Amino acid sequence: MYAEGAPRLRGELLELGIPVLGICYGMQAIALELGGRIEPAAVGEFGRARLDVREHGRLLQGVPAEQSCWMSHRDTVFEPPPGFTALAASGESPVAAFEDTGRGLYGIQFHPEVAHTPYGSAILTNFLEDICGCDMAWSAASVVEEQVRRIREQVGDGQVICGLSGGVDSSVAALLVHRAVGDQLTCVFVDHGLMRKNEGEQVISAFRDRFKIPLVAVDAEGRFLGRLEGVTEPEAKRKIIGEEFIRVFEAEAARIGNPRYLVQGTLYSDVIESGGGHGAATIKSHHNVGGLPEDLEFELVEPLRMLFKDEVRQVGMELGMPERLVWRQPFPGPGLAIRIVGGEVTKDRLEILRDADYVLQDEIRSAGLYRELWQSFCVLPADLRTVGVQGDERTYGYVVVIRAVTSDDAMTADWARLPYDLLERVASRMINEIPQVNRVVLDITSKPPGTIEWE
């Protein structure tokens, strides 16, 4: 709150006579504007915390007096502003929720919108239905109807090109645009050599054979690996890959008549993490947000830009997408390049990581846990080797890191408690089947303080 250039709340927004709910930084902004006491705490709260409800008031009506919640802060409200009632506290937050019902002002320090706050949806429902009187009319069908209308208004009779990765985001975006403008859309699938095992063939088969969408497949592995040679800095990787995607699209667009519009599966979480909006910090650039070149020659069509992943999946089901595609775990646009960390991306390292990831996914699916996880993947620390003993020989091999998390929207995540016997099978197979690997470790960091991906 006290950092140079930190966003401040415009006080007149609190005098409009409409309900206001401040979440996390928003609560602190309300408290600071109206005379509360906010100071940096000796200990921050990042991750799961216990919440003790002292007064339910209007905002916390109907939730348990003791519950868990998800925190991400160091600055803390120690005293609410005059006229406010302190409703709850946590271990490091003397005031974790407050309200002034007379003025319609409410605040909570924790994040109610994430799965790791079990009663967060109930709190948001209290605010939206009871306090604001909202009509809860959102549906996937209404999103499809609205976006089809908007796409037609934006595109008209113009030609459209879509960068298809095969992930749920770009797939849903492509199906939405295809429903809106039909064969005005051409999908371009760029195989940059950074995908998981057999993924390229699966994408081509699904969209050409099942959805009958015009599709151009481009083998660009050599081009991308050439650009990534010698690059180790993660943001540089992302921006190179984002730029190269666009250059490939431009080349393909020239072959099919220079479409004016480019479809991208940008989500709201991508916009937030890329620093979208005034005062938002860049956590990492997404190649479909912060990694685009400034001389972009397309006009963007982003029908999912205001949706989170769970909402995108509902839209996908509404569009008739097969369940296996709808529930496919998120995969970053830069692919395996950002899962080779601290070193150069090479073809050999990609093969090691691809084989390790295949083993992990195979065992997780066999255990029936795939749908329970938000993401499960492997990380290869590129320049790290460890000593091992295999047979009668000393080895000096790569370390593979297993990363598995639970989440609803990727804004926060908790590390998944995978069964020990599953971890044992995964580690044994990786070491036995991949000669270059001699050690497997597990990442047990939540988000925050870490991010889901390592880069």
Side-chain angles (χ1 to χ4, degrees):
M1 289 300 299
Y2 298 104
E4 184 178 351
R8 297 290 296 269
L9 181 64
R10 290 169 53 192
E12 60 265 31
L13 297 177
L14 305 179
E15 306 296 336
L16 296 176
I18 59 176
V20 176
L21 172 62
I23 297 174
C24 194
Y25 190 96
M27 173 185 174
Q28 296 173 8
I30 292 173
L32 186 64
E33 179 65 28
L34 298 179
R37 182 165 69 91
I38 306 166
E39 297 175 4
V43 177
E45 283 186 303
F46 298 98
R48 186 175 282 107
R50 171 175 163 165
L51 186 73
D52 294 312
V53 178
R54 295 169 181 173
E55 291 190 40
H56 284 84
R58 195 170 179 187
L59 184 63
L60 303 185
Q61 192 64 39
V63 304
E66 295 182 0
Q67 56 186 281
S68 62
C69 66
W70 201 258
M71 293 282 196
S72 181
H73 72 104
R74 190 172 299 278
D75 287 346
T76 299
V77 179
F78 285 89
E79 294 177 10
F84 281 72
T85 301
L87 301 178
S90 67
E92 304 299 332
S93 297
V95 182
F98 60 43
E99 67 179 20
D100 181 342
T101 55
R103 299 173 64 184
L105 304 178
Y106 303 82
I108 47 181
Q109 182 61 69
F110 53 92
H111 286 269
E113 75 278 12
V114 302
H116 304 103
T117 299
Y119 297 96
S121 292
I123 295 168
L124 290 174
T125 299
N126 285 345
F127 180 73
L128 294 171
E129 283 192 321
D130 177 46
I131 296 171
C132 297
C134 290
D135 176 16
M136 311 292 274
W138 189 96
S139 70
S142 67
V143 171
V144 171
E145 181 180 351
E146 178 185 6
Q147 288 303 322
V148 165
R149 176 181 57 79
R150 289 188 175 187
I151 292 164
R152 286 173 177 165
E153 289 175 356
Q154 179 183 0
V155 170
D157 60 359
Q159 294 298 305
V160 189
I161 191 171
C162 176
L164 188 66
S165 70
V168 64
D169 304 337
S170 66
S171 297
V172 172
L175 289 179
L176 264 175
V177 174
H178 190 254
R179 175 167 292 193
V181 299
D183 287 349
Q184 290 171 236
L185 169 70
T186 300
C187 288
V188 174
F189 169 64
V190 179
D191 186 350
H192 49 22
L194 307 173
M195 301 189 76
R196 292 171 288 199
K197 201 164 194 172
N198 303 323
E199 204 158 37
E201 295 89 339
Q202 294 169 11
V203 171
I204 293 169
S205 173
F207 279 80
R208 274 188 183 159
D209 301 340
R210 181 182 180 92
F211 299 125
K212 310 299 182 185
I213 295 177
L215 175 67
V216 176
V218 182
D219 181 357
E221 179 184 33
R223 178 171 178 167
F224 277 83
L225 291 184
R227 285 290 312 276
L228 291 169
E229 186 175 351
V231 178
T232 61
E233 203 276 320
E235 280 299 291
K237 288 183 193 175
R238 288 179 177 273
K239 296 202 176 213
I240 286 170
I241 292 167
E243 180 179 330
E244 204 62 22
F245 260 111
I246 296 300
R247 297 305 171 228
V248 171
F249 289 146
E250 288 173 343
E252 293 306 314
R255 293 187 180 95
I256 60 177
N258 289 310
R260 176 180 172 186
Y261 300 95
L262 170 64
V263 180
Q264 294 215 113
T266 309
L267 306 191
Y268 192 52
S269 54
D270 299 336
V271 176
I272 293 170
E273 289 200 334
S274 296
H278 176 70
T282 299
I283 298 170
K284 58 185 177 183
S285 67
H286 289 257
H287 85 276
N288 52 357
V289 185
L292 294 177
E294 293 182 2
D295 59 342
L296 182 68
E297 295 184 3
F298 301 103
E299 182 178 324
L300 294 181
V301 178
E302 298 177 300
L304 312 179
R305 191 178 178 90
M306 298 307 294
L307 301 181
F308 286 103
K309 180 75 75 174
D310 59 322
E311 297 167 327
V312 171
R313 286 193 167 117
Q314 292 180 56
V315 171
M317 296 293 284
E318 180 68 23
L319 291 168
M321 186 180 293
E323 207 168 282
R324 185 180 178 93
L325 270 180
V326 169
W327 289 100
R328 187 179 178 201
Q329 291 179 1
F331 187 63
L336 299 179
I338 59 166
R339 294 179 179 170
I340 296 174
V341 301
E344 185 180 353
V345 177
T346 66
K347 191 163 185 174
D348 288 344
R349 287 170 176 171
L350 285 166
E351 285 302 321
I352 294 168
L353 184 54
R354 197 172 280 124
D355 289 342
D357 182 82
Y358 179 81
V359 168
L360 179 64
Q361 302 308 325
D362 185 48
E363 290 294 341
I364 283 176
R365 286 186 185 277
S366 297
L369 297 176
Y370 187 82
R371 285 274 297 271
E372 295 183 21
L373 302 174
W374 175 263
Q375 272 180 278
S376 53
F377 58 89
C378 297
V379 176
L380 186 72
D383 289 335
L384 176 63
R385 304 285 194 282
T386 66
V387 175
V389 178
Q390 292 170 282
D392 295 325
E393 296 183 355
R394 175 185 184 273
T395 61
Y396 198 53
Y398 283 100
V399 178
V400 170
V401 182
I402 296 172
R403 178 72 161 145
V405 298
T406 58
S407 180
D408 272 350
D409 54 18
M411 296 305 297
T412 62
D414 198 11
W415 63 277
R417 276 63 171 175
L418 298 177
Y420 287 156
D421 58 343
L422 170 62
L423 293 171
E424 181 182 20
R425 288 196 303 274
V426 169
S428 177
R429 281 191 61 188
M430 286 183 186
I431 291 170
N432 287 332
E433 296 176 20
I434 309 171
Q436 302 93 328
V437 174
N438 70 359
R439 192 178 301 269
V440 178
V441 300
L442 178 66
D443 180 354
I444 58 170
T445 311
S446 297
K447 176 186 179 179
T451 55
I452 296 175
E453 298 284 350
W454 276 36
E455 289 191 351

